Amino acid sequence: MSDDFQADRHPHRRRDPLSGRHVLVSPQRGQRPWLGANEAFDTGAAVHHDPACYLCPGNLRAAGTRNPEYPGTFVFDNDFSAVMPETPAPPAADRLFVAERATGAARVICFSPDHGATLPELSPEAARAVIEAWCDQSAELGARYPSVQVFENKGEMMGCSNPHPHGQIWATDFVPDELAREDAAQRGWLAAHGEVLLAEVAEREAGGEREVVANADWLAIVPYWASWPFETLLLPRFDVARLSGLGPNQRASLSEIVQALTTRYDNLFETSFPYSMGWHGAPFGGDARGWRLHAHFYPPLLRSAAVRKFMVGFEMLAEAQRDITPEQAAARLRAVSPVHYKRRPR
Ligand code: H2U
Ligand code: ZN
């Protein structure tokens, strides 16, 4: 009997150099029976304007402000912001109960006036406008705050409150934990190896078994250390540390790849694919040594539009765990059509 290691047969751990966390890969579990929860199918919104939607043009928001008849993207201050520009500082910390002041700004960005068109369904011009808004908001808020977290929660499964395509931007006067970990890891990698960590990743993964889609400027991969089944990492193939540093051509090619990736996601289970995605760039106001801009996509789905991965049990108490290997996940995403299923003749 051969005991040679095979990544798609033998349990093993992989390390994420960005977060320092590990994932336990258990490919031999892929065939276990499923008797747990079946999520309802997300059939997607069919309407283009919903009179009850607080994000549609011309409608009233929850706090009483009326949206303008916006023709493209629309950014507004979150009516229920998690951070405020001015807040009093808590009392001086003691060694046990540590608190610090937290200020910032939160905005909501409507991707389009169309209530029913998600990123992959937008026209190329409309998708391009979303990229512009991400970059412009980063530049504007980055002038005032060290961290500008651009993200999108998509789908009810991810706790998104409204199907109208939208994302959020939370700028903070502190560097949040995930960004701080990545900052330390990328600076540490540069110090230890004299190279930019994610430049090395992009170079070694281009055209490889974990690539999902690529163009001349960008690369989307299922990272070697992915913990969510169909998690992807979107990387520039050139040197840039922040969204605000992207030039016009790079924004155009980014728009293309975001649509190509999200189209494949939707096609995987022929559903509007839920995920949380967001951008990480070097904190503003300091040097960007070791940094490369990137986006993470964290989708919860596992084996159909109805079956999700739960990060519970061992994942909550020990470390992340996955069954399908990152290589298998990338192969599945490469195998689906590049044309969105709603645009294909049936
Ligand atoms: P999510 O669906 O991703 O949670 O985003 C909705 C955001 O929109 C949420 O942060 C804000 C919520 O506070 N919101 C408004 O600012 N105004 C409203 O009228 C409703 C929702
Ligand atoms: Zn709407």
Side-chain angles (χ1 to χ4, degrees):
M1 193 185 106
S2 160
D3 269 350
D4 289 348
F5 174 74
Q6 287 171 271
D8 59 354
R9 279 193 49 205
H10 299 125
H12 58 283
R13 285 173 95 201
R14 299 188 185 189
R15 181 176 177 276
D16 178 348
L18 266 178
S19 70
R21 298 191 186 97
H22 290 87
V23 56
L24 173 63
V25 185
S26 315
Q28 79 289 359
R29 289 177 90 232
Q31 298 312 314
R32 76 189 200 286
W34 180 258
L35 297 172
N38 269 356
E39 303 285 345
F41 276 74
D42 174 5
T43 48
V47 282
H48 301 295
H49 186 276
D50 176 356
C53 169
Y54 55 75
L55 297 179
C56 274
N59 289 359
L60 267 189
R61 295 208 303 272
T65 315
R66 187 171 293 282
N67 294 325
E69 291 292 343
Y70 60 94
T73 58
F74 169 52
V75 178
F76 65 90
D77 287 330
N78 196 311
D79 298 309
F80 308 96
S81 180
V83 273
M84 308 288 175
E86 309 278 349
T87 18
D94 70 28
R95 73 176 189 202
L96 185 59
F97 302 115
V98 180
E100 60 187 61
R101 191 206 302 264
T103 65
R107 295 176 178 173
V108 177
I109 162 177
C110 298
F111 292 167
S112 149
D114 188 337
H115 184 80
T118 62
L119 270 178
E121 299 165 278
L122 292 176
S123 69
E125 299 70 38
R128 175 73 202 272
V130 176
I131 310 294
E132 292 294 337
W134 283 344
C135 297
D136 293 349
Q137 289 292 317
S138 297
E140 187 195 321
L141 289 164
R144 284 189 279 143
Y145 295 104
S147 170
V148 182
Q149 184 59 61
V150 173
F151 64 98
E152 178 189 8
N153 275 335
K154 178 168 173 263
E156 261 175 73
M157 221 181 258
M158 293 312 284
C160 178
S161 57
N162 185 330
H164 193 114
H166 69 283
Q168 297 195 47
I169 303 150
W170 292 19
T172 52
D173 72 336
F174 57 92
V175 176
D177 284 353
E178 286 298 312
L179 195 63
R181 290 180 89 101
E182 292 197 358
D183 188 58
Q186 291 178 95
R187 288 177 194 278
W189 192 273
L190 183 68
H193 306 291
E195 300 214 31
V196 172
L197 168 61
L198 291 180
E200 194 174 328
V201 172
E203 248 163 61
R204 288 185 55 181
E205 294 290 38
E209 60 178 340
R210 286 175 293 274
E211 180 180 299
V212 176
V213 279
N215 61 26
D217 290 336
W218 300 88
L219 181 69
I221 57 170
V222 178
Y224 180 77
W225 46 81
S227 53
W228 291 94
F230 294 98
E231 174 179 336
T232 53
L233 181 64
L234 177 55
L235 291 168
R237 305 174 77 169
F238 52 91
D239 189 25
V240 66
R242 303 180 179 101
L243 273 175
S244 51
L246 294 175
N249 295 337
Q250 296 159 343
R251 295 178 186 201
S253 56
L254 173 56
S255 180
E256 276 171 32
I257 197 124
V258 164
Q259 289 203 292
L261 176 61
T262 52
T263 293
R264 281 176 186 272
Y265 268 157
D266 278 10
N267 285 345
L268 188 63
F269 301 128
E270 302 214 338
T271 193
S272 185
F273 204 69
Y275 57 70
S276 263
M277 71 77 63
W279 287 94
H280 283 152
F284 288 91
D287 73 67
R289 282 159 53 85
W291 261 95
R292 185 165 281 199
L293 170 73
H294 59 276
H296 299 276
F297 284 76
Y298 299 129
L301 289 179
L302 175 57
R303 57 178 91 179
S304 72
V307 177
R308 59 162 299 166
K309 158 91 178 162
F310 286 98
M311 287 285 191
V312 295
F314 191 83
E315 284 96 336
M316 283 182 105
L317 292 154
E319 67 188 30
Q321 184 273 336
R322 60 180 298 135
D323 297 346
I324 173 180
T325 65
E327 295 73 32
Q328 290 164 338
R332 297 266 309 269
L333 287 166
R334 276 197 310 272
V336 298
S337 169
V339 181
H340 197 275
Y341 70 93
K342 286 189 189 165
R343 293 213 174 118
R344 284 203 300 269
R346 293 247 145 193

